[in-house]
Amino acid sequence: MIRFYFNLAPNPAKVALFLEEAGLPYEAIPVDTRKGEQHSPAFRAVNPNGKVPAIVDTEGPGGKEARVFDSTAILLYLAEKTGKFLGAPAERPELLSWLLFIASGLGPYSGQAVHFQWAAPDGLGYAVNRYRREAERHYQVLDDHLAGRAFILGDAYTIADMSAWGWLDRASRVLKGAEDPLLPFPHLKRLFETVDARPAAARARALGKDHVFKTADDEEARRALFPSNYPPAA
Ligand SMILES: N[C@@H](CCC(=O)N[C@@H](CS)C(=O)NCC(=O)O)C(=O)O
């Protein structure tokens, strides 16, 4: 059994998609990050970084319970555990390269673009420009790669595509104001739509819809989500 700690954000969504695609039994445990539940000692024992997603595998290596945190680590761990969605061994260099490209580039730049356009105070034009343009540049790199390929590895649908799907789903927040944000990236748009049309993607999207997550971006939420913006209490 997998205990899956999640909220409705892009990084947990990738893991939800994998769990649904692989048909692994799991217990979904909502973590309300606007209420600060990610900072509780119990959750920090699962992810010392205080972010979702994280999992506990009650049957980890050697039959022992194991925690895994960070969406890319979880995708790799579960893909290796199940032998699913890894592509061919000969494609492993490509798989690792694109997974890490998404984990360290496309994802974080998208996240910062969202932050500076939707959460930060007005007047930070340099930051908005920098992160938006870097997100677009990463989109372009992946779009170029996808020309003539069905999926990131070619014919095989893998965890790299699932990882990209999580963030491409937020393109309208990353490129705020764009009517059809993926239109300039036709191969990326096709990849997103192909993955998004899978039944597992619909099930992943439905996860947590029966839970009431806090939505207000009030002082409690800002302190919970962006603790490093606040000086430590004296
Ligand atoms: N590198 C991490 C990033 C995780 C992350 O930023 N998670 C967000 C949701 S997508 C979160 O937990 N935000 C709440 C917080 O930062 O307190 C991953 O890929 O899992």
Side-chain angles (χ1 to χ4, degrees):
M1 171 62 83
I2 306 288
R3 292 202 293 275
F4 170 42
Y5 297 85
F6 78 105
N7 68 5
L8 302 180
N11 290 309
K14 308 168 185 177
V15 175
L17 178 57
F18 182 95
L19 290 165
E20 289 295 337
E21 292 282 14
L24 279 175
Y26 68 94
E27 178 194 1
I29 302 169
V31 179
D32 201 327
T33 52
R34 282 191 172 80
K35 291 183 181 165
E37 290 175 2
Q38 69 275 39
H39 305 304
S40 74
F43 183 71
R44 288 294 178 113
V46 179
N47 184 354
N49 193 31
K51 291 182 189 290
V52 283
I55 63 165
V56 170
D57 180 0
T58 57
E59 288 163 49
K64 292 195 184 129
E65 192 166 280
R67 73 176 187 196
V68 191
F69 57 87
D70 204 290
S71 59
T72 308
I74 299 167
L75 289 174
L76 269 172
Y77 173 79
L78 292 177
E80 285 179 352
K81 180 183 170 88
T82 58
K84 292 181 175 170
F85 305 112
L86 280 169
E91 293 289 316
R92 200 58 43 87
E94 279 293 296
L95 179 73
L96 292 173
S97 301
W98 288 110
L99 264 183
L100 273 291
F101 165 86
I102 295 162
S104 65
L106 193 149
Y109 281 110
S110 296
Q112 294 304 320
V114 170
H115 178 83
F116 282 102
Q117 294 175 98
W118 298 88
D122 288 339
L124 298 173
Y126 177 88
V128 169
N129 192 51
R130 161 94 183 136
Y131 290 117
R132 239 184 111 109
R133 293 257 175 100
E134 273 297 294
E136 286 176 309
R137 192 183 66 75
H138 282 80
Y139 282 6
Q140 191 64 59
V141 171
L142 191 52
D143 189 66
D144 290 345
H145 172 74
L146 283 165
R149 290 183 174 88
F151 295 105
I152 293 176
L153 287 201
D155 294 333
Y157 168 51
T158 68
I159 51 175
D161 305 299
M162 297 181 199
S163 186
W165 171 82
W167 270 108
L168 294 177
D169 186 45
R170 302 302 161 97
S172 60
R173 287 179 69 75
V174 173
L175 301 180
K176 185 178 181 181
E179 199 171 307
D180 187 353
L182 293 181
L183 192 64
F185 312 98
H187 308 294
L188 213 49
K189 188 173 162 73
R190 170 183 44 81
L191 176 76
F192 172 72
E193 288 173 354
T194 302
V195 176
D196 203 51
R198 295 177 67 86
R203 294 196 297 275
R205 275 183 191 288
L207 183 70
K209 291 286 156 38
D210 55 349
H211 182 81
V212 181
F213 284 97
K214 175 173 174 169
T215 53
D217 284 319
D218 56 12
E219 181 70 8
E220 177 194 48
R222 284 191 295 275
R223 283 182 178 271
L225 293 171
F226 317 125
S228 45
N229 285 353
Y230 295 86

